[in-house]
Each structure stands twice: as C-alpha cells, then as structure tokens.
Amino acid sequence: MWDDAFPSFLIGLREGLEAGLIVSILVATLVRAGARSRLPQVWTGVLAAIALALSFGAVLTFTAASLSATAQEAFGGTLSVIAVAFVTAMVFWMRRSAHSLSGEIKDKVTGALGMGAGVLVATSFLAVGREGLETALFLWTTAQAAGESAGPLTGAAIGLVLSAALCWGLYRRVLRINLTKFFTATGAVLIVIAAGVLGYGLRDLQEGGVLPGKASYAFDLSGSVDAGAWYSTLVQGVLNLTPAMTVLQVLGYGGYLAVVMTLFVRGVRDTAPKRVGTETAESAEATLTATQASRRRPTWLVPVAVVTVPALLAGAAVVFGRPKPAAAETVAVSAKECGKGFSAPKPGRQTFQMHNTGDKTSEVYLVDPATNAVYGEVEGLAPGTTRALVATVAGGTYAWRCVPSSGPAVTSKAVRVSGGGTTQAVVPVSEQDLAGPLQQYRSYVDKGLATLVGQTRTLAADIKGGHLGKARADWLTAHLTYSSLGAAYGTFEDFDQRINGRADGLPGGVHDKDFAGFHRVEYGLWHGASAASLTAPAQQLATEAAGLRNAFPHQDFDPSDLPLRAHEILENTLQFELTGDTDEGSGTNLATADANLAGTRELLTVLRPLLTTRAPHLLPTVDADIARLQTLLDAARHGGTWTSVAQLDATVRAQVNGATGQLLEDLSPVPDLLEIRKSA
C-alpha cells in the first residue's frame, strides 16, 4: 500500500504547505493585531475552498469525468495569477499596518485594518481553493489507478496532517515576535512565496495553451536534481521552484520579485511611523462597530452558505452530468455482422457495447480504415458475450474490424465524424513488422553468448589454477556480458536459473545444493571460499553457458517479447540491483545496472524505426533519460571498481532510483505502441 500512498503523501504535503503558509500568516497577523473578530472571515474562505474541493471530488467520482489536461492547466494558472494579486495586496496592507502600530496595539490597529471582509475571504479562499482542486483531481486519478487500495487517501491524509502541523508551528512562532518586525518579515516571505506561485501559474498557462513558450527552457537541472526526493518536494511546495523552468517562468518570477520586493522595502524604509491618537482610534473603532452592527446577521449563515452552494452545484452536476448507460451503442461482432448497429457517434469519449453474435472468439478493433490506425480494442471476446469498449472519438473516419480466432478479418462500413478536434491512434504492428528487429536482436544475443562462453571458461580456468584475484575481475566481466542480454531471458528457459539464479526461495539459501551459476561463484569468491570448493561451480557455469549458446538458435523467441522487455529489464533493475538484493559480496550491483541499461539501449536501437513513426516524441525523451541515468552510473565507477549500493550517498541513491523510475515511466507506452494486433 505504501507504493500507492507515497506519491499522494508528497502531493498532500506540498499542496498543504502552499495553502497553509499564507493562511497561517494571515491568521497570525489578525491575532497579533487584536483583530480576532476578523478570523471568521478567513475561516469562511477556507471552508468555502474545502467545500469546493470536496464537491469537485464528488463530481469526478460519481460522473467519472475529468477536466482535459489543457483546461486543467489553464484553470489552475488563472487561479494562481489571481491569488498572487490578492496576496500582493495583503502584503502592502501589512506594510502600511506596521507603520501605524507604535503604541498600544489594540487601540492603534483598528484604523489600520482597512482590508475589507471580501478581501480576507477571497485571499484565504484562493490560497486553499487552488490547491484543493489540484489535490482532488490528483487523488481521483491515483485512486482510479490503485483500484481498491486505500493507499492514495492514506498518503494524502498523512501529508496534509504534516503540512498542517508545520503551519501551526509557524503560527505559534510568529505570535511571540515583535508585531512591526513580524509585518515586515512575513511580508517579505509572502512576496517570495507569491513569486513562486506566479511562476507556477505561468507554467500552467503555458501548458494550457494560453501563453506561448512552454518548450523554451531557461534552465533544466533535472539531470542532476532528483525531483522526487523529499528536499525537492519541500522546495517546490514552499517556493514553487522546479528543476526545469521556462524563460517566461524565470522572467515572471524574477520580475515580480524585483519590482514588488523593491517597492516593499522602499516603503518600509521611507515611510515614517505614524502615531494614531486615541481619539482617532476610538473613532475608527466606533465606526467599525457601527458598521458591524448595521450588517449584523446570524453567525451561521455564511458558513452554511459556503458549504451548501458547492454541494448543491456538485449534486446538480452529478444528476445532470452523469453518463447514461443507455446511450452506449451496441455493436455486433461476427464474420457476418461486424459493425452492425454502428452509426456515426458524436465527438468525445464514447462507450460501445461489443456483442459477439458469432460462434468464434474474436478480436475487435475500432480503426481508421485508410491507415489501419487503432483507436480502441477488445481482445478475446467470446461468443455470446458483451464487453464495453471505451474510445475517444474526434473528427475522422471510423470502422470496426472483427478478427475471429480462425478465418479472415472483416471490416465494417466506414462512418465519418465531423469536428471534435483530434485524437491519438496507434498504427498496428504485425509479426512481419517485428521480424527485422527480432533478427537483429537475435544476432546481437548470439554474439554475446559466444563471448560469454569464452569468458566463463576463462573464469573456470582462473579458479582451477588458484588465481582468485584474477577470477574476481573475470567474474565481473562475464556477468556483465550475460546481464546485457536481458531482453532474451524469457527465451533462455531453464538456462537462466542455472546461470544467473538467486538464492532467494531456496531452503538452504546460499548454502543450498541447488544454488548455482554466477551468484554461487560470486558468494564464494567474496566470502573466502577456497579454489578447490569453487572449481566445480565455476566449471558447471561454463558448461551451462556453452549449452545455452548451442540451444539458443533453436529456441522460440516470441517477437512480442521485444516490446515488453523495453521496460521489464529496468523493472528488474529497480527491484533487484538497485535494492542490493542480488549482491552476494562483490558490491557490483551498479555495474549490473549499467549492463542492463546497455541491453535496454541495444533493444531500443532495433525498435527505433517502428517507434519513430508511431511516437516521434518518445525516443528523444527516452534518450535524455538514458543519458541522465548513464551519467549517474558512470560516477559510481572508479576504474575497475564500483561503489556498492549500500555505500552510495543517500542523495545519489535517490537520484539513481529517481532517474531509473523516470526512464521506466517514459518507456511504459512501448508495449502498447508495438503490440501485435491481428489484421487478417
């Protein structure tokens, strides 16, 4: 559950800090100024924002709807800019208030509290509302991905509680300091925070297509800074500074900070403190009291209203916006009726009920008949069964292709959809398309196995001759050769267990009679075993390597394995090598990770032509990820030795894990892009 909880914990901590810092300073300001009567206005704004976020989450949950990516970014960016405007106004109000407070605080502050109730409500509402909407959207998407796991909600709750505790500590601290210094110090802090919010908002507006320049970066430190580390999360949460920022973000951040901070500091220095006489204070206090009396209303009215209104709006959205199951088209699937019942759908996300009316299990694809690009699919639809197919429909031509388990494929009559923008489709891949890459990779593996046979024989000879120091170096050379062939391990059958098997799961562990291969020899070489005791295991390893080389040309290498291995090699690296789980004493897990990366790079080389035509933007991103991870691994190599995983600096280890995780995420679309789909 922690795997599901941790990302939500980070987002809860970050969003909670962003919202809580401004609110805690605002509350402390009012309390220190003796204006506790104004606190309900702040809490009304906070309550309204929480109600809006919860209502938004309810709408997402009960209608299965979500904002488009561009709309979400544009909306968040707009709220950010508005929030900066209100925070800036509050900062300068604080500065003016600081100069009017020189006598008894309670008597002097009444005339300085010129900020109206609407501004207090709006400031706290915007500070919490923007983060609340982001958190609701994030939690909804992660909860959907996690299924029944309670991890996302648990992680977010812990993060929010921790952020609240940090903000409470700030609040308690500022209550004990000089009020004039407090106004000045917190004003400067809020300007820095607002500059970060502005930069973040400008980035959102760029992502939403409102502002240009989203690809024009002023700097990109993602290769040297781990964006997933706790310290990065803290900096991003408090200051909204990220490892990569666009030119517009930097200009907005720097320009706002320079102009507003200059005006703020100049006002602090140049404006002489003004004493407010008792009569003036009493007059202002009387005026305020009279105004409050004239606007007297039940204290429960506003809080109830700010909760009820979003709830009613959410209820209306659920009632009127929930998709109606009856609207889904039922489409027949069979050799004779493929596509029967299909009419031109409206643009947008559509659900089709695919009913197999034939007597054979079928694959079903929604395709562009001109290019064979696939928009949606259902695999293994059995006779007499119905399953839903969900696809996003945009302007273009659509048809159904039914591919029975035996017999020819059938394509329905095409329909034309007008308008609706564009949608992404996948150009299908056949076994013939993968035949060339498969042959190239088989040749690569065959050469690697030939090299492995010679290297394992050298290792066995070293041990037989008692040259254990040389054997350690030759062991690593041979093991890295084998590790670089990772995409073929599914083809190696039982040879893989005998050559590179682990002690995990064996009754006797590292002393079990069935523990064999590279890791058995590694354990002995680095734990003081004698040459005599290692001769047989080393010779057996050389024998198994030779047997694998002889068997490989005749082994069945499924072409569909190639796309799957693109990310599976590094999944195993993250699970075994980067945890130190497979280290039996040599401390060379990072060397193995390096070999796995080399194997991944070789695999992507043979798949590159297919990926370039289907996802032209994927490979440049992956290449950058590989370069970043390679740089981190190279830093752990010192001639012929490697830093062990256990001895890595905590920051470096987090960077290596983060870079591997990012590469895995960017490689994850490959299996879907290159999945073999039947077309005949």
Side-chain angles (χ1 to χ4, degrees):
M1 186 178 75
W2 179 242
D3 290 341
D4 294 330
F6 188 64
S8 298
F9 164 76
L10 291 180
I11 201 69
L13 177 63
R14 173 178 171 168
E15 305 297 342
L17 280 173
E18 288 186 33
L21 282 174
I22 296 175
V23 172
S24 60
I25 291 176
L26 183 57
V27 169
T29 300
L30 295 174
V31 172
R32 285 288 284 120
R36 290 180 178 272
S37 62
R38 307 291 293 275
L39 288 179
Q41 297 162 9
V42 176
W43 296 125
T44 296
V46 172
L47 191 61
I50 294 174
L52 178 64
L54 292 175
S55 300
F56 180 55
V59 171
L60 290 176
T61 301
F62 291 108
T63 65
S66 63
L67 293 174
S68 68
T70 54
Q72 175 193 345
E73 301 292 353
F75 182 66
T78 302
L79 278 182
S80 293
V81 175
I82 295 173
V84 168
F86 276 98
V87 170
T88 304
M90 186 182 73
V91 164
F92 282 94
W93 164 79
M94 290 167 62
R95 190 201 68 189
R96 290 193 302 271
S97 297
H99 293 301
S100 64
L101 300 175
S102 56
E104 295 182 9
I105 293 174
K106 186 172 181 179
D107 291 337
K108 307 296 184 182
V109 77
T110 308
L113 286 175
M115 188 165 60
V119 177
L120 282 172
V121 172
T123 301
S124 57
F125 172 79
L126 287 169
V128 179
R130 179 189 184 284
E131 316 310 331
L133 291 176
E134 283 189 356
T135 304
L137 186 60
F138 179 88
L139 285 180
W140 183 81
T141 54
T142 53
Q144 291 291 106
E148 297 181 358
S149 172
L153 293 179
T154 302
I158 296 173
L160 289 171
V161 169
L162 180 57
S163 67
L166 292 173
C167 292
W168 172 256
L170 172 66
Y171 165 76
R172 297 298 300 172
R173 174 62 183 165
V174 299
L175 288 181
R176 295 182 174 88
I177 66 176
N178 178 275
L179 187 60
T180 300
K181 292 181 179 179
F182 163 71
F183 274 92
T184 303
T186 54
V189 170
L190 282 174
I191 289 173
V192 175
I193 293 174
V197 174
L198 178 61
Y200 190 88
L202 291 174
R203 180 58 178 170
D204 280 352
L205 292 174
Q206 288 179 311
E207 293 288 350
V210 178
L211 295 176
K214 70 176 182 179
S216 300
Y217 286 96
F219 59 84
D220 186 353
L221 304 178
S222 56
S224 55
V225 176
D226 182 11
W230 66 268
Y231 51 84
S232 296
T233 299
L234 191 61
V235 171
Q236 291 180 56
V238 176
L239 301 179
N240 271 308
L241 292 176
T242 59
M245 296 181 70
T246 65
V247 173
L248 182 60
Q249 279 184 283
V250 172
L251 291 176
Y253 184 96
Y256 175 89
L257 195 60
V259 173
V260 177
M261 188 66 79
T262 299
L263 294 174
F264 180 79
V265 173
R266 182 179 299 170
V268 171
R269 291 176 177 175
D270 297 343
T271 306
K274 299 177 181 179
R275 293 190 59 85
V276 180
T278 305
E279 293 181 2
T280 304
E282 290 176 352
S283 176
E285 187 173 0
T287 301
L288 181 61
T289 303
T291 302
Q292 291 174 338
S294 65
R295 297 178 180 177
R296 187 170 296 146
R297 59 176 65 90
T299 57
W300 52 266
L301 183 59
V302 173
V304 169
V306 299
V307 173
T308 304
V309 171
L312 291 176
L313 292 176
V318 170
V319 172
F320 296 107
R322 178 180 293 181
K324 297 175 176 53
E329 287 188 0
T330 298
V331 180
V333 177
S334 74
K336 296 181 179 179
E337 295 186 311
C338 182
K340 182 179 179 181
F342 179 51
S343 58
K346 295 180 179 179
R349 194 168 179 82
Q350 302 292 340
T351 300
F352 304 95
Q353 297 296 332
M354 312 308 299
H355 179 63
N356 191 339
T357 60
D359 57 359
K360 299 175 182 177
T361 298
S362 293
E363 313 288 324
V364 189
Y365 304 105
L366 180 62
V367 302
D368 179 342
T371 64
N372 291 324
V374 177
Y375 294 97
E377 63 185 293
V378 170
E379 298 179 346
L381 184 62
T385 62
T386 301
R387 283 163 56 189
L389 185 152
V390 180
T392 299
V393 176
T397 304
Y398 297 83
W400 292 102
R401 179 162 295 155
C402 306
V403 186
S405 55
S406 61
V410 180
T411 303
S412 72
K413 180 181 178 181
V415 300
R416 180 74 186 175
V417 176
S418 300
T422 60
T423 187
Q424 187 175 7
V426 177
V427 178
V429 173
S430 66
E431 288 193 20
Q432 185 61 36
D433 293 327
L434 284 170
L438 180 61
Q439 184 56 42
Q440 293 178 52
Y441 196 78
R442 288 190 72 107
S443 177
Y444 164 76
V445 173
D446 192 59
K447 292 178 181 178
L449 290 175
T451 301
L452 179 69
V453 170
Q455 291 171 342
T456 53
R457 286 174 178 170
T458 299
L459 172 62
D462 291 339
I463 293 177
K464 186 176 181 180
H467 309 299
L468 298 187
K470 186 173 183 298
R472 293 186 185 95
D474 288 337
W475 174 89
L476 180 59
T477 300
H479 188 242
L480 297 185
T481 296
Y482 184 79
S483 298
S484 68
L485 311 177
Y489 71 82
T491 305
F492 291 164
E493 300 174 349
D494 293 338
F495 282 103
D496 184 62
Q497 179 61 32
R498 297 196 294 267
I499 291 174
N500 205 40
R502 296 178 294 116
D504 296 355
L506 296 177
V510 294
H511 303 294
D512 196 277
K513 62 181 179 61
D514 292 328
F515 183 35
F518 276 112
H519 293 301
R520 167 67 182 89
V521 176
E522 176 190 10
Y523 182 83
L525 285 173
W526 274 272
H527 284 83
S530 66
S533 66
L534 289 175
T535 298
Q539 184 57 52
Q540 182 63 28
L541 173 61
T543 301
E544 296 293 352
L548 175 58
R549 189 202 174 188
N550 292 331
F552 180 69
H554 311 290
Q555 290 177 329
D556 182 23
F557 199 144
D558 189 340
S560 64
D561 278 357
L562 288 180
L564 290 174
R565 302 295 182 252
H567 70 283
E568 285 183 351
I569 297 173
L570 291 174
E571 281 183 347
N572 289 337
T573 301
L574 199 60
Q575 180 180 359
F576 299 118
E577 273 68 52
L578 297 185
T579 59
D581 184 66
T582 54
D583 185 1
E584 295 295 353
S586 68
T588 58
N589 273 161
L590 292 180
T592 306
D594 184 71
N596 290 342
L597 185 62
T600 301
R601 188 185 290 109
E602 180 66 29
L603 178 58
L604 290 174
T605 297
V606 303
L607 295 177
R608 187 170 292 269
L610 294 175
L611 290 171
T612 299
T613 57
R614 287 163 175 80
H617 302 298
L618 184 145
L619 285 174
T621 301
V622 167
D623 289 341
D625 291 342
I626 290 176
R628 177 190 178 195
L629 180 55
Q630 187 68 66
T631 299
L632 293 169
L633 292 174
D634 287 345
R637 176 165 38 195
H638 315 286
T641 63
W642 290 77
T643 302
S644 70
V645 171
Q647 293 176 337
L648 276 180
D649 176 80
T651 300
V652 175
R653 186 169 183 176
Q655 289 176 341
V656 172
N657 288 336
T660 306
Q662 185 61 56
L663 177 54
L664 266 172
E665 181 178 339
D666 291 333
L667 285 172
S668 61
V670 172
D672 286 336
L673 289 170
L674 301 186
E675 180 183 355
I676 296 176
R677 292 175 168 88
K678 299 177 182 179
S679 60

